[in-house]
Amino acid sequence: MRAFTKEGEIATYIPELRRADAGALACALYTKNGTCVSFGDKDRVFTLQSVSKVVALALAVMDSGEAQVFDKVGMEPTGGPFYSITRLELTRHSKPLNPMINAGALTVTSMIGGRTETEKVERLLRFIRELTGNDTVTYDSAVAESELETADHNRALGFLLKGEGVIGSDIEPLLDVYTKQCALSMRCCDLARIGFIFGHEGRSPKTGEQIVPVPVARMVKTFMVTCGMYNESGELAIKAGIPAKSGVSGAILGSVPDGMGIGIYSPALNEKGNSRAGVELLKRLSRHFSLSIF
């Protein structure tokens, strides 16, 4: 599988991400007996980037309610880039098409509970630690700072959305929360446990506690299938059939309903912005274990 890492390129538009080892590859499978099987560079810590959008979506719906969230954000896939501003200008009232593109993700993050950016970040951290079962999970401050310094495109999206009344909060504090959200960092086993919980209708693998409401867990998986892998979502649905979400760090979250959770990290990306080796690994895992939901 490592040979596929040579076919991709590391994301360079966030300076801190340039430091990644292009040859790194790690995978973890969280199974029904509550254990995590991992291989490769399994101790490598990486940031979630856009994978964090599924966590933020679940949290925003839990905090603000489904009606309020989807009054501001749509549910439809888009064929455009995840950072597109053109789609906003062509859409009535500039409502973002879905929560997985940056415009939608910024809107969703603005609806996470908390009066201040500090409270919102703390809310995110409590939730991600509950999902991973790991109280040491936090955000990478160097990556967050690097993202904030180069966030002019997201800043432009934010001000457009604020001007249209989609976002009500101030943009700079929102960007501070959003960049820290994207910089949430963990290992593959942590990521695989998140995938397991969403795949098992929001329940803890250890205690059975309902961490995420069942309708929210189902909604998140649906968005992962339709929008989670950028413009490769349709192809991955056919060739792997696993609800998945990727990030430009090279992370991929996989969530098999009533099955295993999958965490993958390999930072060399294909032309669609997804991990090159990670996508191939997801396909092979699906074939080997018959994981397709279709």
Side-chain angles (χ1 to χ4, degrees):
M1 287 303 305
R2 280 191 197 273
F4 288 98
T5 66
K6 298 178 182 179
E7 299 178 7
E9 299 289 337
I10 290 176
T12 58
Y13 66 93
I14 299 172
E16 278 295 313
L17 294 187
R18 298 174 189 169
R19 300 175 180 271
D21 176 5
L25 175 63
C27 180
L29 308 177
Y30 201 97
T31 63
K32 284 187 176 182
N33 62 6
T35 61
C36 182
V37 178
S38 58
F39 54 90
D41 301 308
K42 57 186 179 181
D43 293 324
R44 193 71 59 100
V45 176
F46 52 89
T47 58
L48 294 185
Q49 298 303 319
S50 284
V51 175
S52 70
K53 292 172 181 176
V54 299
V55 176
L57 173 60
L59 188 56
V61 172
M62 290 162 64
D63 286 351
S64 296
E66 182 177 344
Q68 183 173 336
V69 170
F70 292 105
D71 180 57
K72 300 294 186 181
V73 183
M75 297 182 176
E76 299 300 325
T78 170
F82 63 90
Y83 50 80
S84 176
I85 200 169
T86 305
R87 292 296 178 118
L88 283 179
E89 295 175 317
L90 296 176
T91 304
R92 186 171 177 265
H93 302 310
S94 294
K95 181 177 179 177
L97 286 175
N98 66 69
M100 300 295 110
I101 58 175
N102 284 8
L106 285 165
T107 305
V108 165
T109 298
S110 74
M111 288 184 274
I112 290 172
R115 294 170 297 174
T116 66
E117 60 267 34
T118 300
E119 289 183 2
K120 288 177 180 286
V121 171
E122 286 299 320
R123 176 79 175 110
L124 265 169
L125 287 174
R126 287 195 303 272
F127 187 50
I128 200 75
R129 289 167 182 168
E130 189 174 19
L131 288 171
T132 60
N134 184 352
D135 288 339
T136 69
V137 168
T138 188
Y139 62 87
D140 186 318
S141 57
V143 173
E145 183 177 343
S146 180
E147 292 197 50
L148 191 59
E149 289 175 352
T150 55
D152 286 343
H153 202 117
N154 281 337
R155 190 170 281 110
L157 286 172
F159 279 112
L160 175 59
L161 291 164
K162 185 175 175 65
E164 292 289 339
V166 176
I167 289 177
S169 57
D170 291 336
I171 299 306
E172 289 302 324
L174 173 59
L175 284 173
D176 181 69
V177 176
Y178 183 71
T179 52
K180 288 173 180 173
Q181 169 193 307
C182 291
L184 289 167
S185 59
M186 59 188 63
R187 294 177 174 84
C188 275
C189 271
D190 298 315
L191 187 57
R193 191 177 190 270
I194 297 174
F196 182 93
I197 289 173
F198 282 121
H200 288 258
E201 300 198 318
R203 292 188 297 273
S204 166
K206 298 292 188 181
T207 66
E209 176 191 357
Q210 198 74 49
I211 297 174
V212 179
V214 173
V216 177
R218 291 176 178 172
M219 176 199 309
V220 165
K221 291 194 295 289
T222 304
F223 275 116
M224 290 167 72
V225 171
T226 59
C227 316
M229 300 293 288
Y230 306 130
N231 289 342
E232 205 169 2
S233 296
E235 180 180 344
L236 259 293
I238 293 168
K239 294 186 176 180
I242 298 173
K245 182 71 191 86
S246 65
V248 295
S249 60
I252 296 179
L253 168 68
S255 182
V256 181
D258 198 33
M260 65 178 65
I262 302 170
I264 297 174
Y265 171 67
S266 184
L269 309 179
N270 63 20
E271 68 280 0
K272 300 291 179 64
N274 297 316
S275 169
R276 175 65 184 92
V279 165
E280 184 62 29
L281 184 53
L282 202 64
K283 293 176 185 176
R284 295 190 184 192
L285 285 170
S286 179
R287 289 196 297 269
H288 183 77
F289 292 109
S290 298
L291 300 179
S292 176
I293 65 174
F294 300 109

